[in-house]
Amino acid sequence: MTASSPRRIHMHENDNVAIVVNDGGLPAGTVFADGLTLVEGVPQGHKVALVDLAQGDAVIRYNVTIGRAAKAIPKGSWVSEQLLDMPPARELDNLPIATVKPAPLPPLEGYTFQGYRNEDGSVGTRNILAITTTVQCVSGVVDFAVKRIKAELLPRYPNVDDVVGLEHTYGCGVAIDAPNAMVPIRTLHNISKNPNFGGQAMVVSLGCEKLQPTRLFPKGSIPIRKADNTIADEAPVVCLQDNHHVGFMSMIDSIMQTAEQQLEVLNRRQRVTCPAADLVVGVQCGGSDAFSGVTANPAVGFATDLLVRAGATVMFSEVTEVRDGIDQLTSRAVNEEVAQAMIREMDWYDNYLKRGGVDRSANTTPGNKKGGLSNIVEKAMGSIVKSGSSPISGVLSPGEKLTTKGLIYAATPASDFICGTLQLAAGMNLHIFTTGRGTPYGLAEVPVIKVATRDDLARRWHDLMDVNAGRIATGEATIESVGWELFQLMLDVASGKKTWAEHWKLHNALVLFNPAPVT
Amino acid sequence: MTASSPRRIHMHENDNVAIVVNDGGLPAGTVFADGLTLVEGVPQGHKVALVDLAQGDAVIRYNVTIGRAAKAIPKGSWVSEQLLDMPPARELDNLPIATVKPAPLPPLEGYTFQGYRNEDGSVGTRNILAITTTVQCVSGVVDFAVKRIKAELLPRYPNVDDVVGLEHTYGCGVAIDAPNAMVPIRTLHNISKNPNFGGQAMVVSLGCEKLQPTRLFPKGSIPIRKADNTIADEAPVVCLQDNHHVGFMSMIDSIMQTAEQQLEVLNRRQRVTCPAADLVVGVQCGGSDAFSGVTANPAVGFATDLLVRAGATVMFSEVTEVRDGIDQLTSRAVNEEVAQAMIREMDWYDNYLKRGGVDRSANTTPGNKKGGLSNIVEKAMGSIVKSGSSPISGVLSPGEKLTTKGLIYAATPASDFICGTLQLAAGMNLHIFTTGRGTPYGLAEVPVIKVATRDDLARRWHDLMDVNAGRIATGEATIESVGWELFQLMLDVASGKKTWAEHWKLHNALVLFNPAPVT
Ligand SMILES: [Ca+2]
Ligand SMILES: [Ca+2]
Ligand SMILES: [Ca+2]
Ligand SMILES: [Ca+2]
Ligand SMILES: [Ca+2]
């Protein structure tokens, strides 16, 4: 099949719509190989009706009702978002609980990567000195210090990859005793323990902030190794307001001296051969289009199954993007407890959105719609496929740290930055990000592998996208082949190969999820 | 009086407590000149009882009941926070409305500074190229571009002081149609129009984000001057997802080309003599202690009156820090409309906090309490004095832009970064920040003059604090003399003199106030 012959994709035999694959879309009068004729032009990624639909008929994609026809839609028409009435959200009672018992997939053995094994058993994919901050007040000072550490100290510690200030907007001017304040606090606590930071931590504090170092790290909660190889029961804290700081440079000197002790310990880390089981992969999507659920996300889903077979951990997230498929998830839960935990997270988020006067439909973007995703139901079906087909073995609330392996539902907002930040807190050591519209997303803390859903994006953003899943739509590759390619690339990147975002040093902000008020 | 003789300050003849001035506090047995004897040690900045207080007696400071004695407190005791029961918040009905008619202060004439006059009449104190971003997605790319612009372009435009990427965490993954979403959107819109940016603007957009450039800047809302001196009816937008961008460097080139056009126009700006009336000063406090309301804030209040007399604009803010003094403010309003607007802002914030399960008492920090501020009532009384004694002539909701001169109440959270960001949006061209505990706070967009409340802080942070108001407590200076000094320094800084935060390039993040949910 040539690139110019008309091409469409549907995801399930019961679907009564398909999406147009060709770059630039297809004009009215286009005849497909099976005789289907377009009665009007259909943009790329948008839906064409495969049958005559009467007003009120279910429009089915992914074998799911993504909406009802707002009026009669003749076969061959463009099923645009205006023609779809969105169904209400699935009620959270009477859901199927652990009803699907997928036959266990065969273990996948023999795959390894070169990682930095930590004392707690976790494995880093990079060797990074992280400087935790308790409050935004110290950011300017930490920026100043990090520049000097990179210029003056880092060259003397060749095994350390980078120095990162964990800056954020939390820590003061916030209702720190509000019921929901535990979310940002535990997020920041757990991020500091990300495997890429080697179990080391240091804190820069102002002194008078609400989020005191002892609140962020209660005594004993973050033991670190000292340069003399003994263990300290708490991370060192540089407090800018301490009386012994006289003049700005004394603060910078304190930070640099503390940093040097950490660098000395981190510099002893060496990459060793680790089984693929030590990967902790966070998957998410952003800037999605109709191809997300057809190419990149199914390929990620295939790779997710490979990872689970290899004994690794995979987190999928983004509450509003699974909400409409909650029945698929509860039925795949390994047990009732896991299913109920998922329901609790959905219910919490429903209420959170309701308090703000909105619902799950606030998720979709102009770009989603331009890309052919009519509503959140359709978007969700395409998003969930990143989770593959394995049983779901655990659930995390926002900001919690992983305690089990396998396929985990880590509840987070869909916001790319908040989701990424929460997956960092959970303990992710590798991030997979699919995009249809395109985003230069990157994190300083963990490598991000970006997967393009479309050929055209992969071609134009050739030095930003790491994998082109668009070849699935054109028939040049399969979901399986791209899934394997991605799996191999994960092992390579985990071993030190740089992603494009790392090459250009593109770093987005940490964005803490704070459902509590500011003051 | 020597530095070591015991010294205390009370603010009003009706006060039955005073605060201890001496560094390190005073021990039990200390005898003051008037015979008052401490029955126990009192830390610096903390309160001593001037009379015997029975359980339930009002504890009065600033001639206001800051609490009731939880038990009997003998004269000469330390009135610690545990001994004070906080009164409930003042009800918002039956407030005195525009009852105080202060005699108009004599106009202050002849004070000028050298500023950059803009076409809309506003005046910049710095000449900065600002690059507006619609969404966090583009931050990494904008950081990369800004570094190149500074290194390669800026040296050729010597009249331009700096290049700043207006980065933030808003723009996508947010409920952009929620009732409260107008707050962050108008904030970002108005920040781009800050006088320091010379009426020029350029936007870097991803393409698929919720906050589309046309939503941020509706057509005609931000006319800019082109290099050929004609007016364009909208700001140029670099959209990363545009089809003509092939490869990462093509995005960087687009941003740099657009930046260069702006630099050419901005480079034509010249400082000219402007009356002090063109100053738009935002005042706030952070890291407050008991001296804030005794030294720095009263000196700022005196300078506020000087500015108002000179025809300038002064904004004071921080809702939770005026809430307990709302009756003082409504009575000082120029008219009923202004008073009602203030009440509306208080009421909105009461409800906002309540939805999150907290109230105004969530404001105070461990540092406040360590510094002697027992509760939010006491803190508020010390915070309000920054507003001086002029009539309050206008009220802004969060993110709104100023339309009138004089003393304005700009409603904002007390969070230093959110308050500063909202004052930037209002059109501030100079920022005054008082601190007792100490903060290295700085902004890239507008110079920040930092005022220390205590001698000890000013001495230790000699290259971070611009003014030492602690001399008021030791008797070396008066509120009036420091107020005049501050006023003169404002004119100098507005004319180009660098503050310490500018010297070290200490820049805190823009933090948008988003009372709506993320998605
Ligand atoms: Ca997504
Ligand atoms: Ca996302
Ligand atoms: Ca930054
Ligand atoms: Ca304050
Ligand atoms: Ca403040």
Side-chain angles (χ1 to χ4, degrees):
Chain A
M1 178 167 288
T2 67
S4 58
S5 59
R7 195 167 157 83
R8 64 175 202 260
I9 291 184
H10 69 282
M11 297 304 288
H12 190 277
E13 55 182 348
N14 294 345
D15 291 359
N16 55 22
V17 293
I19 67 162
V20 164
V21 171
N22 305 66
D23 275 1
L26 291 172
T30 298
V31 183
F32 287 87
D34 63 355
L36 177 73
T37 303
L38 294 187
V39 301
E40 59 190 325
V42 180
Q44 188 190 31
H46 286 247
K47 290 174 288 297
V48 54
L50 301 177
V51 297
D52 287 329
L53 293 161
Q55 185 179 359
D57 275 0
V59 175
I60 297 172
R61 201 180 159 208
Y62 298 99
N63 195 28
V64 162
T65 298
I66 61 168
R68 304 240 161 222
K71 60 175 190 178
I73 305 174
K75 178 175 174 175
S77 303
W78 175 18
V79 184
S80 66
E81 58 165 298
Q82 290 79 15
L83 297 180
L84 276 190
D85 292 332
M86 191 169 84
R90 177 76 168 82
E91 297 286 339
L92 291 177
D93 41 21
N94 301 318
L95 284 164
I97 303 291
T99 47
V100 176
K101 299 283 178 198
L105 293 164
L108 190 65
E109 279 161 3
Y111 290 91
T112 61
F113 68 101
Q114 299 300 111
Y116 295 99
R117 172 138 345 253
N118 298 314
E119 301 185 29
D120 66 358
S122 71
V123 172
T125 58
R126 298 292 181 269
N127 187 13
I128 294 171
L129 168 60
I131 301 179
T132 299
T133 65
T134 49
V135 67
Q136 168 62 216
C137 305
V138 304
S139 286
V141 176
V142 169
D143 280 346
F144 191 104
V146 165
K147 267 190 208 126
R148 292 236 350 230
I149 295 167
K150 283 187 183 181
E152 297 170 30
L153 300 182
L154 197 55
R156 293 197 276 114
Y157 300 93
N159 294 339
V160 182
D161 294 317
D162 206 358
V163 181
V164 175
L166 299 178
E167 295 167 15
H168 56 86
T169 66
Y170 198 73
C172 212
V174 293
I176 204 160
D177 294 313
N180 286 319
M182 67 177 164
V183 174
I185 297 171
R186 74 180 168 210
T187 301
L188 195 55
H189 175 100
N190 287 331
I191 284 180
S192 302
K193 293 178 164 175
N194 186 280
N196 280 2
F197 309 150
Q200 292 304 101
M202 63 176 279
V203 182
V204 179
S205 151
L206 181 60
C208 60
E209 67 273 21
K210 283 181 177 160
L211 185 56
Q212 291 285 297
T214 48
R215 183 160 184 169
L216 182 61
F217 296 128
K219 209 171 172 81
S221 69
I222 193 155
I224 68 151
R225 194 163 282 278
K226 297 199 284 185
D228 66 6
N229 226 15
T230 59
I231 301 287
D233 72 347
E234 52 193 350
V237 177
V238 176
C239 175
L240 302 189
Q241 287 174 352
D242 270 0
N243 281 330
H244 65 78
H245 284 135
V246 177
F248 177 64
M249 276 305 158
S250 71
M251 300 174 188
I252 300 299
D253 289 345
S254 289
I255 297 172
M256 290 184 70
Q257 278 163 26
T258 307
E260 184 146 27
Q261 292 159 13
Q262 307 299 310
L263 286 169
E264 218 160 284
V265 177
L266 289 171
N267 198 50
R268 296 176 197 152
R269 291 173 96 198
Q270 299 279 353
R271 288 192 185 269
V272 295
T273 301
C274 303
D278 287 321
L279 288 177
V280 180
V281 178
V283 301
Q284 70 157 316
C285 48
S288 298
D289 66 2
F291 287 101
S292 296
V294 172
T295 61
N297 290 353
V300 168
F302 187 86
T304 293
D305 285 343
L306 296 179
L307 288 161
V308 173
R309 287 171 58 193
T313 307
V314 184
M315 287 178 277
F316 69 111
S317 297
E318 301 174 296
V319 171
T320 49
E321 294 181 17
V322 304
R323 179 64 183 81
D324 281 284
I326 182 61
D327 52 333
Q328 298 176 31
L329 300 187
T330 51
S331 59
R332 271 169 67 197
V334 285
N335 57 37
E336 161 108 29
E337 192 190 346
V338 166
Q340 292 300 346
M342 268 187 289
I343 293 169
R344 264 200 311 278
E345 294 300 333
M346 300 296 118
D347 188 52
W348 186 92
Y349 217 88
D350 280 359
N351 286 318
Y352 165 75
L353 292 174
K354 198 172 166 187
R355 280 203 305 278
V358 295
D359 63 25
R360 76 205 197 284
S361 69
N363 173 299
T364 43
T365 66
N368 291 155
K369 291 179 177 180
K370 207 167 157 193
L373 292 173
S374 294
N375 61 33
I376 184 59
V377 186
E378 184 176 14
K379 185 175 175 180
M381 297 309 131
S383 180
I384 286 178
V385 296
K386 299 194 296 296
S387 67
S389 60
S390 306
I392 299 165
S393 53
V395 176
L396 292 184
S397 291
E400 286 182 344
K401 192 165 152 54
L402 286 161
T403 55
T404 51
K405 294 202 162 206
L407 179 63
I408 306 293
Y409 181 68
T412 75
S415 155
D416 298 349
F417 312 101
I418 299 180
C419 173
T421 298
L422 292 169
Q423 290 183 338
L424 279 173
M428 146 173 94
N429 57 20
L430 197 59
H431 201 14
I432 308 295
F433 195 103
T434 71
T435 182
R437 312 295 305 169
T439 168
Y441 181 80
L443 294 176
E445 295 79 10
V446 158
V448 180
I449 295 174
K450 288 206 294 294
V451 184
T453 71
R454 289 179 301 129
D455 231 24
D456 172 57
L457 176 67
R459 192 177 63 243
R460 287 187 295 109
W461 290 34
H462 56 86
D463 52 6
L464 288 165
M465 294 292 136
D466 300 290
V467 175
N468 175 14
R471 292 170 298 143
I472 296 167
T474 59
E476 296 159 78
T478 62
I479 287 171
E480 293 72 19
S481 70
V482 175
W484 273 106
E485 182 189 332
L486 184 56
F487 179 70
Q488 285 290 357
L489 181 61
M490 285 191 230
L491 296 171
D492 292 345
V493 169
S495 303
K497 180 187 165 92
K498 284 197 175 177
T499 64
W500 278 117
E502 286 180 292
H503 172 82
W504 299 116
K505 298 189 169 64
L506 299 178
H507 300 155
N508 284 104
L510 293 181
V511 184
L512 295 177
F513 181 38
N514 180 19
V518 297
T519 61
Chain B
M1 179 166 287
T2 66
S4 58
S5 60
R7 196 167 156 84
R8 63 175 203 261
I9 291 184
H10 70 282
M11 298 304 288
H12 191 277
E13 55 181 349
N14 294 345
D15 291 359
N16 54 23
V17 293
I19 67 163
V20 164
V21 171
N22 304 66
D23 275 0
L26 291 171
T30 299
V31 182
F32 288 87
D34 63 354
L36 176 72
T37 304
L38 294 187
V39 299
E40 59 192 324
V42 180
Q44 187 189 33
H46 285 246
K47 291 174 288 295
V48 54
L50 301 177
V51 297
D52 287 328
L53 293 161
Q55 185 180 358
D57 275 359
V59 175
I60 296 171
R61 199 178 161 208
Y62 299 101
N63 195 28
V64 163
T65 299
I66 60 168
R68 304 243 161 218
K71 59 176 192 180
I73 305 174
K75 177 176 175 175
S77 303
W78 175 17
V79 185
S80 66
E81 58 166 299
Q82 290 80 14
L83 296 180
L84 275 190
D85 291 333
M86 191 169 83
R90 177 76 166 84
E91 297 286 339
L92 291 176
D93 42 18
N94 301 318
L95 284 164
I97 303 291
T99 46
V100 176
K101 299 282 179 198
L105 293 164
L108 191 64
E109 278 160 5
Y111 290 91
T112 61
F113 68 101
Q114 299 300 111
Y116 296 99
R117 178 151 323 268
N118 298 313
E119 299 185 31
D120 66 357
S122 71
V123 171
T125 58
R126 296 292 180 269
N127 188 13
I128 294 171
L129 168 60
I131 301 179
T132 300
T133 65
T134 50
V135 67
Q136 168 63 216
C137 305
V138 305
S139 286
V141 176
V142 169
D143 280 346
F144 190 104
V146 165
K147 267 190 209 128
R148 293 236 352 229
I149 295 167
K150 284 188 183 180
E152 297 170 28
L153 300 181
L154 198 56
R156 292 197 275 114
Y157 299 94
N159 294 340
V160 182
D161 294 316
D162 206 357
V163 181
V164 175
L166 300 177
E167 295 166 16
H168 55 87
T169 66
Y170 198 73
C172 212
V174 293
I176 204 160
D177 294 313
N180 286 320
M182 66 176 166
V183 174
I185 297 172
R186 74 181 169 211
T187 302
L188 195 54
H189 175 102
N190 287 330
I191 285 180
S192 303
K193 293 178 164 174
N194 185 281
N196 280 2
F197 309 150
Q200 293 303 101
M202 63 176 279
V203 182
V204 178
S205 153
L206 181 59
C208 60
E209 66 273 21
K210 283 181 177 160
L211 185 57
Q212 291 285 298
T214 48
R215 183 159 184 171
L216 182 60
F217 295 128
K219 210 174 170 80
S221 69
I222 192 154
I224 68 150
R225 193 163 285 278
K226 297 199 286 185
D228 66 6
N229 227 13
T230 59
I231 301 287
D233 72 348
E234 51 193 350
V237 177
V238 176
C239 175
L240 303 188
Q241 287 174 352
D242 271 359
N243 281 329
H244 65 78
H245 284 135
V246 177
F248 176 65
M249 277 304 158
S250 72
M251 300 173 188
I252 301 300
D253 288 345
S254 289
I255 298 171
M256 290 184 70
Q257 279 162 26
T258 307
E260 183 145 28
Q261 292 159 14
Q262 307 298 310
L263 286 169
E264 218 161 282
V265 177
L266 289 171
N267 199 49
R268 295 175 199 152
R269 292 173 94 197
Q270 299 279 353
R271 287 191 185 271
V272 296
T273 301
C274 303
D278 287 320
L279 288 177
V280 180
V281 178
V283 301
Q284 70 156 317
C285 49
S288 298
D289 66 4
F291 287 101
S292 296
V294 171
T295 61
N297 291 352
V300 168
F302 187 86
T304 292
D305 285 343
L306 295 179
L307 287 162
V308 173
R309 287 172 58 192
T313 308
V314 184
M315 287 178 275
F316 69 112
S317 297
E318 302 173 294
V319 171
T320 48
E321 292 180 17
V322 303
R323 179 65 183 81
D324 281 285
I326 181 62
D327 53 331
Q328 298 177 30
L329 301 187
T330 51
S331 59
R332 270 169 68 196
V334 285
N335 57 37
E336 161 108 29
E337 192 190 346
V338 167
Q340 293 300 347
M342 268 187 290
I343 293 170
R344 264 199 311 279
E345 294 300 334
M346 299 298 118
D347 188 51
W348 185 93
Y349 217 89
D350 280 0
N351 286 317
Y352 164 75
L353 292 174
K354 199 172 166 187
R355 279 202 305 277
V358 295
D359 64 24
R360 75 205 198 285
S361 68
N363 173 300
T364 42
T365 66
N368 292 155
K369 291 179 177 181
K370 207 168 156 191
L373 293 173
S374 294
N375 60 34
I376 183 60
V377 186
E378 184 176 15
K379 184 174 175 181
M381 296 310 131
S383 181
I384 285 178
V385 295
K386 299 194 297 295
S387 67
S389 61
S390 305
I392 299 165
S393 54
V395 175
L396 292 183
S397 291
E400 286 183 343
K401 193 166 150 56
L402 286 161
T403 55
T404 50
K405 294 201 162 207
L407 179 64
I408 308 293
Y409 181 67
T412 74
S415 155
D416 298 349
F417 312 101
I418 299 180
C419 173
T421 298
L422 292 168
Q423 290 183 338
L424 279 174
M428 146 172 94
N429 57 20
L430 198 58
H431 201 14
I432 308 296
F433 195 103
T434 71
T435 182
R437 311 295 306 169
T439 167
Y441 181 80
L443 293 176
E445 295 80 10
V446 158
V448 179
I449 295 174
K450 288 205 295 296
V451 184
T453 71
R454 289 179 300 130
D455 231 24
D456 172 56
L457 176 67
R459 191 177 65 243
R460 287 186 297 109
W461 290 35
H462 57 85
D463 52 5
L464 287 165
M465 294 291 134
D466 300 290
V467 175
N468 174 14
R471 290 168 300 144
I472 296 167
T474 58
E476 295 160 78
T478 63
I479 287 170
E480 293 73 19
S481 70
V482 175
W484 273 106
E485 182 189 334
L486 184 56
F487 180 71
Q488 285 291 357
L489 181 61
M490 286 191 232
L491 297 171
D492 291 346
V493 169
S495 303
K497 181 187 164 91
K498 285 197 174 174
T499 64
W500 278 116
E502 286 180 293
H503 173 82
W504 299 115
K505 297 191 168 61
L506 299 178
H507 299 155
N508 283 104
L510 292 181
V511 184
L512 295 177
F513 181 37
N514 180 20
V518 297
T519 61

